[in-house]
Amino acid sequence: MKNFYGIDLGTTNSLISTIVQDNIPIVFQIGRQESFAIPSVVYYPKDKEPIVGQLARNMLAMNPERCIQHIKREIGNETYERIIDGSKITPEIVLSDILHDIVKRANKKREEQGLPPVYDVVVSIPAKYGDLERKRTIKAVEIAGLKLIGLVHEPTAAAINFGLQREDNKTFIVYDLGGGTFDVNIMRIKSNELQILSKCGDLHCGGIDWDAEIVRMAIASLANENKLPVARDILRNNETFQQFLQSNEGQAMLALAEEVKINLCDEQCPEDYDFTFTFGETRTIKIFRDQFFNNTSHLISKTINKMIEAIEEANIPINNIEHEIDEIIMVGGASYMSQVETAIRNRFKVRNIHRQEPGLAIAKGAALYANMRDRSWANTVRETKCSENDDTSDVIPVTLPETPSTSILSTPHIPEDRIETARNIETQKEGNAPWVHIHEIGGRSYGIVARDGKCMVIYNIIKMNDDIEITKEIKGIFVTNRANQKEIDLDVREYDSNAEIVDLYSIKSKRITHNIRMPINTDIPIGTPVNLKVKRDRNGVIYISVSCMSHQIDIELK
C-alpha cells in the first residue's frame, strides 16, 4: 500500500493523519504535549525560517506584526497581502508554510518508527470554496513541495469517517462548524453510494467570530466604564471594528480571546471569566457567560438558517424532518460549544444528534479518501440525458456583452438534444474502500455573461448541484451577433444560484476570467455557431474549450 497523508488544513488549527493496517486512520500527535492539532499560525522571524504552531501563536501577543493567523479567511480575497521585511506574503505562501511544517512533523514521527518520509497528500477544504480558493490551495501544496492526490470537501471527509462506522441506508446532516468556516451537507448512504443531496455554508462564520465577540465586549467595557474615546471610535460601526481586528493589537486580543471562549463554554466553569489583554496597557475585564451567549446567539441562528436552506434544497419537508433525517453529526472544533448543540436540539426534532470525533473526523476522513483515491478508484464515464427540469427548449436568446469588437448571440430556440452531458463517476474496482462511489457535487455555479435583447444575463453552464467532476458540451446556444466579427470574448462568473438564466445585476457574482479573447483573424458572418466544452476536474478546476468554425481556444480558468 502506498503511503499518504490526509490533512485538515483548518482556519485555527491543523491536523495530519494517515492509514495503518486494516484501513484504520490515525491522527499524528504533532502538537504541544502530544496533542493532535497545531495552531494554524505562522511567525516570520527576521532572516530565519518561518515558525508554525503554538510558538507562533505565543508570539502574537508580543510580535503580532510578524505573525499571520486565520489565513483561510483571506484565501478568497484577491487583494490580501502582508509585507514582512520587504517580502510579499500571500495566502498561498502562508498555507504552504503550514502544510510544510505539519508534514515535516509527521515525517519525523515516521522516522522515529524507522519509516520513510511521505509527501503525497489529500487536503480538506470547505464545501463552499470557489475557483480562487481551490486554486490557491492547490498552489500552496505545490509550493510546500508536496504531491496533491486530491482535494476533499470537509463535510464529505467527515461523512467518510462516519460512514465506515455505520450501517447502510442512512440519511444524515453533517454540521461542520470550524474555526473560521461553516458547512452543512445533507447526505445519504445507500446501496454502496455516498450521495450529497445538498450543501450550504458560510465561509465567514466560525469559532473566531465568537472570539471576536469577546473582544467586542471587552472594548465596549473600556468605552463605557473607562470612558476611553479610542474604544468608542473602534465600536463606531462594524467596519471600524473589523479594521481593529485586523490590526496588530486586535490580532493579539483575538488570540487571547479563544481561551476565554473555551472556558465560558465549559459548564463546570464559573459564570464569568477574566479576560486579560493589552490595550495601550495591560487590562483585565470580566466576561459574563450569559451575556456572551446572548451576544452570539445570532451566529448560531445563522448556522441554523443555513441548515434549513440545505434541507429545502434537498427537497426534504422541514415539518417532517424527524422522519426523513436519521442523524445529525456535529464536527469541527467550534461545535464543542454547548449552546450550539442546545440550539440544534431545540430547532430540529431528529432522533440522534451527536458529535462524531469533532476535532479529528475531517483529518481521518481525508486519509480514508486518499486511500480510496490511490488504491481502488478509477474513472468511468456514463452518458446522462437532460432531466425534465433541465429542459432548455424555451431558453431566452442570449448574447455575450457587446465590446467594441465582439459579442455572442444565442439562437432563439435551443433543441434539447443539442445539449450533451457526460459525467465522470468514480467507481470502486477493488480494495476495501467503503462505497462504490462518492456522488460529490460542487458548491458554486458558473455561467457566461450574455445579452438577452437589451438585458445582461448570466447563462448557467455548471450548476451548484452538478457533479464535482463533470464534462458538458454546449451546442446550439451561442452564435456571433455582429457581422464581420474577428474576436470572441468570454466572461465567466461564479455565483450562488441554480437558475438556468439570471439577471446579471440581480445577483452577486464574481468574474473569474480576465481579457479572454479568441482571435478569429477572418470575418465571421452574424449568426455563426459558437460551441463550448466545459470540464471540471475532481479538484474543482474548470477548463473551457471554445470553438467557432475552424478556430478553437482552450482555457483553464485562473
Side-chain angles (χ1 to χ4, degrees), residues 456-497:
M456 301 303 299
V457 300
I458 306 176
Y459 180 84
N460 199 321
I461 58 175
I462 295 180
K463 294 185 177 182
M464 293 169 60
N465 57 5
D466 277 340
D467 291 346
I468 190 69
E469 190 172 5
I470 188 170
T471 299
K472 289 185 176 182
E473 291 188 9
I474 302 174
K475 301 178 180 179
I477 295 177
F478 298 114
V479 296
T480 56
N481 76 335
R482 281 178 179 268
N484 305 321
Q485 200 167 308
K486 293 187 178 182
E487 290 180 324
I488 295 173
D489 290 353
L490 201 66
D491 180 356
V492 181
R493 299 295 177 106
E494 178 182 88
Y495 52 99
D496 291 330
S497 173

Side-chain angles (χ1 to χ4, degrees), residues 63-285:
N63 210 348
E65 69 275 4
R66 289 187 172 273
C67 297
I68 299 179
Q69 64 175 339
H70 307 150
I71 193 61
K72 277 180 68 175
R73 276 286 177 94
E74 302 294 343
I75 193 171
N77 182 353
E78 293 182 283
T79 63
Y80 176 88
E81 65 178 43
R82 286 275 297 277
I83 305 298
I84 300 178
D85 294 330
S87 297
K88 183 169 68 173
I89 310 295
T90 61
E92 49 263 60
I93 290 175
V94 181
L95 291 173
S96 71
D97 289 332
I98 297 171
L99 288 166
H100 179 268
D101 183 83
I102 61 177
V103 168
K104 181 180 177 181
R105 292 178 190 232
N107 280 337
K108 184 177 180 180
K109 294 285 186 180
R110 286 178 59 87
E111 183 182 358
E112 293 170 356
Q113 301 170 8
L115 299 173
V118 174
Y119 299 102
D120 291 9
V121 300
V122 161
V123 178
S124 66
I125 60 172
K128 291 296 289 183
Y129 260 12
D131 184 71
L132 178 60
E133 293 93 336
R134 292 173 183 272
K135 292 285 183 59
R136 282 183 159 175
T137 304
I138 294 170
K139 183 65 175 178
V141 173
E142 178 185 321
I143 296 172
L146 306 174
K147 179 183 177 182
L148 183 67
I149 298 175
L151 302 175
V152 60
H153 291 164
E154 290 165 357
T156 303
I160 292 171
N161 183 58
F162 159 78
L164 289 179
Q165 305 172 40
R166 293 291 185 275
E167 66 270 24
D168 195 18
N169 201 16
K170 289 273 190 179
T171 301
F172 57 97
I173 298 175
V174 176
Y175 176 101
D176 177 11
L177 185 60
T181 60
F182 172 70
D183 277 316
V184 56
N185 279 19
I186 314 294
M187 298 181 170
R188 179 174 294 146
I189 299 176
K190 185 177 182 180
S191 301
N192 295 323
E193 177 180 6
L194 173 65
Q195 184 178 17
I196 290 83
L197 304 180
S198 66
K199 60 180 53 176
C200 201
D202 192 328
L203 293 178
H204 290 273
C205 180
I208 59 177
D209 295 292
W210 275 259
D211 302 340
E213 182 55 37
I214 290 173
V215 174
R216 187 192 295 272
M217 291 171 67
I219 298 297
S221 179
L222 295 178
N224 296 332
E225 298 175 15
N226 296 37
K227 310 299 182 184
L228 290 180
V230 64
R232 288 197 296 270
D233 289 343
I234 289 170
L235 298 178
R236 186 170 62 251
N237 53 53
N238 186 61
E239 183 179 352
T240 57
F241 179 65
Q242 292 301 322
Q243 289 173 352
F244 172 74
L245 290 180
Q246 294 301 316
S247 70
N248 293 334
E249 201 167 36
Q251 288 288 294
M253 287 185 68
L254 268 178
L256 296 170
E258 184 179 9
E259 181 183 355
V260 180
K261 174 190 68 180
I262 292 171
N263 282 283
L264 286 173
C265 293
D266 186 341
E267 295 179 353
Q268 297 180 351
C269 180
E271 293 298 315
D272 57 67
Y273 197 83
D274 286 343
F275 180 26
T276 301
F277 57 94
T278 300
F279 189 86
E281 60 186 68
T282 301
R283 305 173 187 273
T284 298
I285 297 294

Side-chain angles (χ1 to χ4, degrees), residues 63 218 395 452:
N63 210 348
V395 171
D452 170 26

Side-chain angles (χ1 to χ4, degrees), residues 28 42-43 67 122 225 280 283 335 372 444 498 527 539 553:
F28 288 92
V42 186
Y43 169 57
C67 297
V122 161
E225 298 175 15
R283 305 173 187 273
S335 71
M372 297 176 196
R444 300 283 183 87
N498 267 328
N539 290 325
I553 184 172

Side-chain angles (χ1 to χ4, degrees), residues 344-363:
I344 293 175
R345 289 188 179 278
N346 289 340
R347 181 60 181 85
F348 302 106
K349 307 305 179 184
V350 175
R351 294 186 294 274
N352 193 358
I353 301 175
H354 63 97
R355 294 182 179 88
Q356 177 72 24
E357 297 185 301
L360 307 180
I362 293 172

Side-chain angles (χ1 to χ4, degrees), residues 364-475:
K364 285 186 174 183
L368 290 166
Y369 182 78
N371 189 35
M372 297 176 196
R373 286 284 299 269
D374 187 72
R375 293 176 58 230
S376 57
W377 293 65
N379 288 333
T380 61
V381 176
R382 73 179 182 189
E383 297 293 329
T384 62
K385 295 182 179 180
C386 297
S387 67
E388 292 180 1
N389 293 332
D390 292 327
D391 181 24
T392 55
S393 58
D394 295 324
V395 171
I396 302 171
V398 292
T399 74
L400 282 179
E402 292 189 26
T403 67
S405 59
T406 183
S407 60
I408 296 179
L409 175 68
S410 79
T411 56
H413 179 74
I414 306 173
E416 184 175 339
D417 60 5
R418 297 296 298 278
I419 302 178
E420 303 167 8
T421 303
R423 296 187 176 183
N424 295 323
I425 305 295
E426 292 183 317
T427 304
Q428 179 183 359
K429 296 178 67 178
E430 56 182 302
N432 297 320
W435 295 294
V436 172
H437 67 266
I438 298 176
H439 183 83
E440 179 65 282
I441 60 177
R444 300 283 183 87
S445 287
Y446 297 87
I448 294 178
V449 175
R451 181 178 292 279
D452 170 26
K454 295 183 179 181
C455 299
M456 301 303 299
V457 300
I458 306 176
Y459 180 84
N460 199 321
I461 58 175
I462 295 180
K463 294 185 177 182
M464 293 169 60
N465 57 5
D466 277 340
D467 291 346
I468 190 69
E469 190 172 5
I470 188 170
T471 299
K472 289 185 176 182
E473 291 188 9
I474 302 174
K475 301 178 180 179

